[in-house]
Amino acid sequence: MRIEQLILRNFRCYADTQFRFDRQFNLIVGQNGAGKTSLLQGLAVAAGSWFLGIRGYDSRNIQDDQDVRRVTGMSGDTLQVSPQYPVTVEAAGTGLDDSPLEWGRSLEAKGGRTTQKLAKGIKEQASRAEGMVARQELVTLPLISSYGAGRLWVPSKDMRGESEAKERLENNRLDGYLFSLDPRINFSDLFRWLKEERYVALEIGRDRFGFAAVKRAMCACLEDCISVDYHVAERSLVVETHARGRQPFDLLSDGQKSMLALVADIAFKASLLNPHLGERVLEETPGVVFIDELDLHIHPSWQRRLVTDLKKVFPSLQFFATTHSPQIVGETPPEQIILLHRDGTWSRPRQTIGLSSNQVLEHIMGAEAVNRGMAHQFDAILELVEKGDFALARERITQLRGSENFNFPELTEAENYMSSVEESARESDA
């Protein structure tokens, strides 16, 4: 499955907007309120249509209380709120075996049900895939998974009781679809599976393909990683890095936990869905993954490699991720960035690779890279230089350095500029 185009009408903040997507990675950038999470939710409705054809797995319907666009206005001295219908989500892309596919869902009126009439094609493909799995025929299933900003901190018991989990998680490929559109990571299944796979490895003398793939994915996306494995003696997932040696999962930083859990969950689901792919399961599993706040708890130096790592480890998946990080934007090609605007439109930046974080902040994200008061003082110094008042400019630079006890790069640039202007003036006089 791949989503190449999406049309949202009266969906949350979007009156009528059409998006086009990259085949592998889509980084969604915009100010608060620009519609980043709303776009992810529209994509989830589209991807969730797959589950209309698979019994026992929840699709994502259009919700009357959250997804309907509302127009506000004053009537006399009273604020009026008017829901806008119909709400429609239309998608185009590819389905099973990379075949072209168009589908959609809509909510026609308040209190109604999300329609399925435009989702017939994707529903039939999913139903066919379910039948092939039941007959144990060869079919590669698309992975579908969504991760919210609070993905790491929800106790697993809130998602499912332990007894029910043990009943459900068997050698059933379709269990890779459990909680696909839930924004939380299901630690209960993940860690129990890692533990069971370790015991299996001890019994048969080697790691099974899925177990090896999950560990390989985690280590590949963790900075400075040597190995990741479940240790029976410690009863924990243990991570070994060059800098800190061996550490149990619980003692890792929030950023390490967040990234490891995310990558492990994706690889875990891929190995459940497509065990027939063996050691190529990470490289060949297709599908779509939605991540809200990709940079969650991640240090800026590590943020620069996140997109590259995900694309390298999961080359057949299509990612949709939101971010506020200029480091991530600066490492992502412009054709893979969707820059959202407050008026419901979007665009792509002309350049991202090679820009500094300050340049990304100012020219792409519309944010100030320097404190506004300091920026005014820098501008005042440059204005003095342009007027030829070099003595006062030097005095302001000295004062600013002394008062802030910091050598701002902008001050060095101002000094270099002043030297250049003075040299030009001397040459003119000569």
Side-chain angles (χ1 to χ4, degrees), residues 1-19:
M1 172 185 284
R2 185 179 294 112
I3 301 175
E4 298 173 352
Q5 179 177 295
L6 185 76
I7 301 175
L8 300 176
R9 294 191 181 94
N10 290 327
F11 186 88
R12 297 198 173 199
C13 62
Y14 295 105
D16 189 350
T17 306
Q18 177 176 321
F19 297 92

Side-chain angles (χ1 to χ4, degrees), residues 65-96:
D65 58 338
Q66 296 181 21
D67 296 333
V68 180
R69 187 173 71 95
R70 286 165 167 79
V71 175
T72 61
M74 297 299 296
S75 178
D77 58 358
T78 304
L79 179 66
Q80 301 292 321
V81 179
S82 303
Q84 304 296 299
Y85 294 94
V87 184
T88 61
V89 176
E90 299 178 7
T94 60
L96 208 59

Side-chain angles (χ1 to χ4, degrees), residues 69-144:
R69 187 173 71 95
R70 286 165 167 79
V71 175
T72 61
M74 297 299 296
S75 178
D77 58 358
T78 304
L79 179 66
Q80 301 292 321
V81 179
S82 303
Q84 304 296 299
Y85 294 94
V87 184
T88 61
V89 176
E90 299 178 7
T94 60
L96 208 59
D97 301 325
D98 228 19
S99 57
L101 188 64
E102 295 183 4
W103 71 98
R105 310 212 47 204
S106 66
L107 182 65
E108 301 296 325
K110 182 177 177 60
R113 300 180 64 179
T114 306
T115 64
Q116 300 184 17
K117 59 185 179 182
L118 297 178
K120 182 180 178 181
I122 193 170
K123 182 178 179 180
E124 289 178 347
Q125 285 201 8
S127 180
R128 178 160 61 90
E130 179 188 32
M132 295 177 72
V133 170
R135 296 187 297 271
Q136 298 193 12
E137 297 176 6
L138 189 63
V139 58
T140 297
L141 298 173
L143 182 148
I144 299 172

Side-chain angles (χ1 to χ4, degrees), residues 145-302:
S145 204
S146 177
Y147 303 96
R151 52 188 173 267
L152 189 58
W153 306 119
V154 179
S156 57
K157 67 180 181 180
D158 287 353
M159 300 186 70
R160 179 194 314 160
E162 185 177 356
S163 60
E164 182 184 352
K166 288 182 176 179
E167 291 177 4
R168 290 295 301 277
L169 192 63
E170 302 170 346
N171 291 328
N172 182 354
R173 293 178 59 186
L174 295 180
D175 274 345
Y177 286 138
L178 287 171
F179 301 103
S180 283
L181 297 178
D182 193 304
R184 303 166 291 183
I185 294 176
N186 187 354
F187 282 113
S188 176
D189 279 355
L190 179 58
F191 280 99
R192 184 174 58 258
W193 181 82
L194 290 169
K195 178 181 178 181
E196 292 173 352
E197 285 296 315
R198 169 47 58 212
Y199 281 115
V200 170
L202 292 172
E203 180 178 351
I204 67 176
R206 65 170 179 84
D207 292 345
R208 291 198 288 191
F209 292 129
F211 187 39
V214 170
K215 294 190 298 180
R216 177 161 50 93
M218 286 191 285
C219 199
C221 291
L222 182 63
E223 196 174 34
D224 196 36
C225 180
I226 298 173
S227 67
V228 179
D229 210 339
Y230 187 91
H231 285 242
V232 176
E234 285 87 352
R235 297 182 180 180
S236 174
L237 187 70
V238 175
V239 176
E240 184 177 3
T241 62
H242 290 284
R244 295 184 175 273
R246 287 175 34 155
Q247 287 183 292
F249 183 85
D250 289 343
L251 296 185
L252 299 176
S253 70
D254 289 349
Q256 290 173 317
K257 288 179 181 178
S258 176
M259 193 61 186
L260 276 179
L262 172 69
V263 172
D265 194 64
I266 296 172
F268 169 56
K269 289 176 178 176
S271 66
L272 286 177
L273 291 168
N274 296 309
H276 63 286
L277 295 179
E279 61 185 9
R280 297 287 299 170
V281 68
L282 300 182
E283 290 79 9
E284 296 183 12
T285 293
V288 290
V289 175
F290 312 117
I291 307 171
D292 204 0
E293 297 189 24
L294 176 60
D295 50 298
L296 189 68
H297 304 300
I298 303 296
H299 188 273
S301 64
W302 189 8

Side-chain angles (χ1 to χ4, degrees), residues 387-401:
K387 290 180 179 179
D389 196 342
F390 305 129
L392 185 54
R394 285 195 176 90
E395 181 181 339
R396 293 282 177 84
I397 290 173
T398 300
Q399 290 174 346
L400 196 54
R401 278 188 172 138

Side-chain angles (χ1 to χ4, degrees), residues 356-359 361-363 367-383 385 393-394 396-398 400-401 404 406-419:
S356 68
S357 294
N358 283 354
Q359 290 172 323
L361 281 171
E362 292 181 343
H363 303 302
E368 295 176 345
V370 180
N371 172 272
R372 184 173 297 179
M374 297 299 295
H376 287 324
Q377 295 188 63
F378 297 148
D379 290 342
I381 291 172
L382 292 177
E383 187 175 343
V385 173
R394 285 195 176 90
R396 293 282 177 84
I397 290 173
T398 300
L400 196 54
R401 278 188 172 138
E404 297 297 331
F406 186 80
N407 188 14
F408 291 99
E410 288 82 358
L411 296 181
T412 301
E413 291 176 9
E415 287 178 318
N416 292 337
Y417 176 57
M418 183 162 52
S419 297

